Amino acid sequence: MELLPLGKIQTYMSELKGWALEGSAIMKEFSFVDFKASIEFLNKIAEIAEKHNHHPEMIINYGNVRLILTTHEKKGLTEKDFELAKEIDTL
């Protein structure tokens, strides 16, 4: 999988809702009513990440979850990041 050029990244970003470009990654924040709901959401993401063999950085703070996607071995964004983001958005 190759790094995406900026034009392709911009195209993919326009297809996502609520994700932001942050350096060489994409990021989205989610809010939940409590810690338990946040953990349940993270568990669903873990299943999707395992299926894709692509694992996001997940930061949890009580009812807030921040996801950061990048392809570490490529040191930037690839199609894998956007595929995972799209599937996360179906939750």
Side-chain angles (χ1 to χ4, degrees):
M1 190 132 310
E2 297 299 315
L3 283 175
L4 295 172
L6 184 57
K8 193 73 165 172
I9 290 170
Q10 290 171 333
T11 299
Y12 283 143
M13 289 299 295
S14 70
E15 298 170 0
L16 296 176
K17 190 172 191 175
W19 290 84
L21 187 59
E22 192 173 85
S24 61
I26 54 175
M27 181 277 304
K28 186 171 183 178
E29 294 184 3
F30 300 83
S31 294
F32 299 94
V33 295
D34 58 22
F35 183 74
K36 184 177 178 187
S38 295
I39 293 296
E40 289 169 356
F41 179 67
L42 289 180
N43 285 332
K44 291 176 184 176
I45 291 172
E47 291 294 321
I48 293 169
E50 283 295 306
K51 182 176 79 175
H52 285 265
N53 193 29
H54 192 57
H55 305 92
E57 181 177 334
M58 301 184 287
I59 303 165
I60 185 170
N61 183 8
Y62 187 69
N64 298 306
V65 173
R66 184 173 198 226
L67 299 179
I68 302 167
L69 299 176
T70 190
T71 304
H72 296 286
E73 63 267 11
K74 295 291 183 178
K75 296 183 173 62
L77 291 165
T78 67
E79 288 186 9
K80 289 175 79 170
D81 300 300
F82 291 96
E83 290 168 3
L84 185 57
K86 284 180 184 178
E87 190 160 350
I88 288 168
D89 280 346
T90 67
L91 296 177

